[in-house]
């Protein structure tokens, strides 16, 4: 009989991505127990569930973090790990970790007060990007084109957040990236797909904001950056956003996402991301089982 394996799949709702992953896992002989954000987690119970690995694909970054933490504390392996989710769901954490490990990224400053934003703006030549620590889909990301623009941003902020609870924020230099950024999907240790997200109208090139997808080759420089990212973060499932900086003529990392969407993009680039994720999960279960066997023997 085939070795029966099972995983827990933590989701907010079963989107097309998760349905595809489940189909592939089932085909590979892996049973999937779906756990919605609204459901209890199997923690603090004496009965050990028949799975040791939890795939975390919660939509809310807060839920992804809190649920992976609880599961890890209870002894489950989570994919991605709580450590990785904690780094990737906070743009300031990422910037600091990447700086420490020499990952190329836009020049940045962490601004703890509105006053510091003026210093950062002037350091970056009167053009910069302000980012809330936790955000996605381009939300809250704002380009400052001068002092008056920044005054407006601060005033708007103050009206909803008078005591500046939402500080610190990340400030980056504005990178001359052309009309696109590059999304690379990494599964395990390897980049499996790369595409440009092109937008003629919007400097924010999120697909949610209407950017078009253009598949590209994973060249040696992109592969090397991905290798470095995996070296720093560890194996996992990532959506890395890169820029080609046309002023410095090099690739830099804009941010790394821990729960990349692919339902729309894979239909264009043709790489079956769900299959790669399922294969990787299966491989992980195999190595977890092997480790347990070694410990128990
Ligand atoms: N420093 C920057 N210079 C130029 N464009 C940027 C910069 N930072 C972000 N962008 C643009 O804004 C988009 C969203 O920023 P990102 O940091 O990826 O946040 P999100 O988590 O919302 O996707 C990027 O895909 C890119 O097109
Ligand atoms: Mg992004």
């Amino acid at each position: 009989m085939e070795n029966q394996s099972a995983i827990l799949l933590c989701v907010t709702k079963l989107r097309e991505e998760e349905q595809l992953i489940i189909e592939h896992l089932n085909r590979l002989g892996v049973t999937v127990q779906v756990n919605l954000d609204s459901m209890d987690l199997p923690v603090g119970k004496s009965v050990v569930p028949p799975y040791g690995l939890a795939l975390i694909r919660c939509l809310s970054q807060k839920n992804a973090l809190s649920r992976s933490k609880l599961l890890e504390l209870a002894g489950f392996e989570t994919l991605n790990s709580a450590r990785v989710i904690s780094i990737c769901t906070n743009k300031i954490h990422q910037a600091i970790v990447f700086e420490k490990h020499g990952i190329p990224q836009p020049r940045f400053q962490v601004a703890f007060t509105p006053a510091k934003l003026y210093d950062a703006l002037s350091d970056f030549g009167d053009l910069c990007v302000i980012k809330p620590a936790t955000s996605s889909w381009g939300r809250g990301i704002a380009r400052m084109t001068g002092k008056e623009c920044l005054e407006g941003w601060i005033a708007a902020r103050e009206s909803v957040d008078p005591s500046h609870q939402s500080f610190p924020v990340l400030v980056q230099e504005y990178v001359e990236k052309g009309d696109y950024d590059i999304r690379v999907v990494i599964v395990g240790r390897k980049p499996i797909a790369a595409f440009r997200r092109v937008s003629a109208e919007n400097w924010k090139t999120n697909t949610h904001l209407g950017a078009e997808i253009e598949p590209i080759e994973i060249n040696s420089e992109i592969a090397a950056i991905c290798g470095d990212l995996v070296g720093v973060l560890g194996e996992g499932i990532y959506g890395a956003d890169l820029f080609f900086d046309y002023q410095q003529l090099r690739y830099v990392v804009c941010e790394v996402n821990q729960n990349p969407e692919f339902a729309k993009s894979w239909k264009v680039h043709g790489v079956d991301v769900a299959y790669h994720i399922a294969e990787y999960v299966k491989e992980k279960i195999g190595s977890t089982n092997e480790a347990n066997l070694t410990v128990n023997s």
Side-chain angles (χ1 to χ4, degrees), residues 86-208:
S86 127
I87 296 172
C88 291
T89 52
N90 187 306
K91 290 180 172 37
I92 296 176
H93 291 195
Q94 286 194 33
I96 294 170
V97 170
F98 293 164
E99 174 79 12
K100 190 166 136 200
H101 293 277
I103 300 281
Q105 62 180 326
R107 284 188 294 144
F108 75 94
Q109 290 183 24
V110 182
F112 287 84
T113 58
K116 289 283 180 205
L117 291 170
Y118 289 103
D119 299 342
L121 177 69
S122 131
D123 289 350
F124 293 140
D126 266 353
L127 184 63
C128 68
V129 178
I130 300 181
K131 302 185 178 186
T134 55
S135 66
S136 49
W137 297 340
R139 276 188 306 218
I141 310 275
R143 181 169 60 171
M144 297 298 121
T145 51
K147 198 159 166 268
E148 256 187 50
C149 180
L150 178 56
E151 275 165 9
W153 186 92
I154 292 173
R157 259 305 161 96
E158 270 171 356
S159 61
V160 285
D161 178 21
S163 53
H164 307 303
Q165 296 290 319
S166 49
F167 276 78
V169 294
L170 183 71
V171 190
Q172 286 179 339
E173 66 173 323
Y174 181 77
V175 176
E176 294 300 341
K177 64 182 191 299
D179 59 359
Y180 67 94
D181 71 355
I182 295 165
R183 164 58 62 92
V184 190
V185 183
I186 300 171
V187 177
R189 303 197 68 81
K190 286 203 210 93
I192 58 160
F195 51 92
R196 284 183 178 182
R197 301 186 299 183
V198 186
S199 181
E201 278 95 48
N202 198 340
W203 66 273
K204 291 194 255 185
T205 52
N206 298 76
T207 32
H208 272 272

Side-chain angles (χ1 to χ4, degrees), residues 20-86:
L20 291 168
I21 295 171
I22 293 174
E23 276 170 29
H24 281 299
L25 280 168
N26 289 162
R27 239 175 262 145
L28 293 168
V30 179
T31 315
V32 179
Q33 173 77 48
V34 174
N35 180 277
L36 300 172
D37 286 349
S38 54
M39 290 161 70
D40 288 354
L41 286 171
V43 296
K45 305 233 162 78
S46 53
V47 184
V48 182
Y51 35 78
L53 185 128
L55 181 61
I56 311 290
R57 292 201 51 98
C58 308
L59 263 182
S60 135
Q61 303 196 334
K62 217 170 114 216
N63 283 348
L65 186 55
S66 64
R67 293 175 91 74
S68 64
K69 265 193 185 155
L70 290 176
L71 287 164
E72 275 191 2
L73 287 169
F76 298 95
E77 184 175 359
T78 70
L79 189 62
N80 292 313
S81 68
R83 171 186 164 269
V84 156
I85 295 175
S86 127

Side-chain angles (χ1 to χ4, degrees), residues 180-185 193-197 207 212-217 261-262 265-266 268-269:
Y180 67 94
D181 71 355
I182 295 165
R183 164 58 62 92
V184 190
V185 183
F195 51 92
R196 284 183 178 182
R197 301 186 299 183
T207 32
E212 295 295 327
I213 290 155
E214 285 179 9
I216 55 167
E217 290 292 310
E261 293 173 327
F262 54 83
S265 51
W266 90 278
V268 183
H269 59 66

